[in-house]
């Protein structure tokens, strides 16, 4: 990933928002909100369900709204192929999934 940014407001519910831009090239921003301190994981999978990269791996985050940027690379640093990708957040009991499209 490229960066993580926390906003000052405190959400009352969990949320995983649609990435933007979508479709994207070369990078996209994923926004999420957590109402209480949680361990947060965000993982990106290809259309076959194979793990492509982990943006956050069970990292402790305070209550807040966040955005994280993905630069379209896998864990080895290689640019991924054009196509559909799925991103999933896990924060405590909250799990949500959205789709995004990478175009070269």
């Amino acid at each position: 990933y490229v960066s993580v940014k926390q906003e000052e407001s405190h959400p009352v519910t969990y949320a995983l928002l649609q990435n933007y831009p979508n479709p994207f090239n070369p990078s996209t921003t994923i926004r999420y909100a957590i109402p209480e301190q949680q361990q947060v994981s965000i993982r990106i999978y290809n259309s076959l369900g194979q793990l492509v990269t982990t943006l956050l791996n069970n990292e402790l985050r305070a209550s807040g709204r966040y955005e994280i940027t993905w630069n379209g690379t896998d864990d080895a640093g290689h640019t991924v192929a054009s196509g559909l990708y799925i991103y999933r957040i896990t924060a405590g009991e909250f799990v949500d999934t959205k789709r995004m499209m990478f175009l070269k």
Side-chain angles (χ1 to χ4, degrees), residues 4 32 34 36-38 40 56 59-63 66:
V4 176
Y32 66 96
I34 55 172
E36 58 192 12
Q37 181 173 290
Q38 286 288 349
V40 178
L56 290 175
E59 294 182 30
L60 189 62
R61 292 284 187 254
S63 168
Y66 295 86

Side-chain angles (χ1 to χ4, degrees), residues 42-81:
I42 296 178
R43 294 184 172 89
I44 297 178
Y45 300 88
N46 64 20
S47 59
L48 300 176
Q50 299 164 320
L51 180 64
V52 172
T53 193
T54 300
L55 301 182
L56 290 175
N57 189 16
N58 218 25
E59 294 182 30
L60 189 62
R61 292 284 187 254
S63 168
R65 299 176 196 279
Y66 295 86
E67 60 181 44
I68 187 165
T69 302
W70 180 46
N71 60 2
T73 60
D74 62 19
D75 279 336
H78 301 108
T79 301
V80 298

